[in-house]
Amino acid sequence: MTKDFKTVAESQVTISELMLPSHSNFNGKIHGGYVLSLLDQIAFACASKHSGAYCVTASVDTVDFLKPIEIGELVTMKASVNFVGSSSMQIGIRVEAENIQTGAVKHCNSSYFTMVAKDEKGQSVKVPGLVLKSRDDIRRFAKSIKRYDNKRVRLKEFTETDFVSEEHLHIVETYNVKIEA
């Protein structure tokens, strides 16, 4: 039986992984694509834990790469449900890397994923509500509402705007572009 409401803490997930040379890019830093894969995995785990259902990634709303991750560092990802809708959840993820020799920890990435709970037939299912117990829980929920509203406005503007109209031809003067159409 699924609960009607769950606390943020009930669905939190933390994973740690040592970064190996096989995870690196040509510059010797951990490849962003590998980090994205780990982010998607922890977002799935957190959303599934909250909903009690299989979850799919609806959107990767924000991925801010703040500092590079080095080979040999221990990466820890912390995921929380920040917001819930009827079948969707916004998962916030903080990524930290620790130099295991010095103990120095750095904040490397902040990300937000929208996940949707599904049943065996692929239909969206209702998720438990969220119990906010701390000022941080409330702050994260309020910021998620703002991110959701901004996303909705951006998508509406993007689908309703004709980007090849005469009003957009000023791009040649403003940006490093040449039009040959």
Side-chain angles (χ1 to χ4, degrees):
M1 182 172 144
T2 305
K3 290 179 162 183
D4 289 338
F5 288 87
K6 286 186 175 180
T7 65
V8 172
E10 286 179 275
S11 302
Q12 288 176 324
V13 176
T14 300
I15 60 171
S16 295
E17 184 173 331
L18 184 65
M19 294 296 105
L20 303 174
S22 61
H23 305 140
S24 68
N25 60 24
F26 295 112
N27 198 29
K29 308 296 182 197
I30 300 307
H31 196 286
Y34 183 72
V35 174
L36 284 169
S37 173
L38 293 175
L39 290 168
D40 193 50
Q41 290 174 43
I42 196 169
F44 168 83
C46 184
S48 295
K49 190 173 178 182
H50 182 78
S51 66
Y54 178 77
C55 293
V56 297
T57 305
S59 65
V60 179
D61 303 318
T62 307
V63 178
D64 293 321
F65 290 98
L66 306 171
K67 293 183 180 161
I69 300 171
E70 306 292 334
I71 295 169
E73 289 184 321
L74 182 65
V75 168
T76 300
M77 297 187 174
K78 302 171 186 176
S80 294
V81 177
N82 290 351
F83 174 87
V84 295
S86 57
S87 63
S88 67
M89 297 151 281
Q90 187 179 92
I91 310 300
I93 308 163
R94 180 181 174 93
V95 179
E96 296 176 340
E98 178 183 359
N99 180 315
I100 56 177
Q101 293 173 323
T102 67
V105 176
K106 60 186 176 184
H107 178 199
C108 298
N109 185 300
S110 288
S111 302
Y112 300 95
F113 281 55
T114 298
M115 307 296 287
V116 177
K118 300 286 187 174
D119 65 15
E120 351 20 86
K121 296 178 185 169
Q123 299 299 311
S124 297
V125 296
K126 186 171 174 47
V127 300
L130 201 56
V131 178
L132 307 176
K133 294 187 109 175
S134 71
R135 292 184 64 78
D136 275 344
D137 292 349
I138 295 166
R139 178 183 52 80
R140 288 182 183 123
F141 191 86
K143 283 187 169 187
S144 294
I145 292 170
K146 182 68 173 168
R147 267 191 295 282
Y148 178 77
D149 290 344
N150 288 342
K151 179 180 172 182
R152 204 173 52 215
V153 167
R154 186 185 76 241
L155 289 172
K156 183 176 187 278
E157 179 182 279
F158 195 78
T159 56
E160 291 178 355
T161 302
D162 176 11
F163 285 98
V164 292
S165 68
E166 295 298 319
E167 74 179 87
H168 292 98
L169 292 181
H170 72 283
I171 60 175
V172 173
E173 295 130 17
T174 308
Y175 300 97
N176 186 17
V177 65
K178 180 166 92 174
I179 297 175
E180 293 184 348

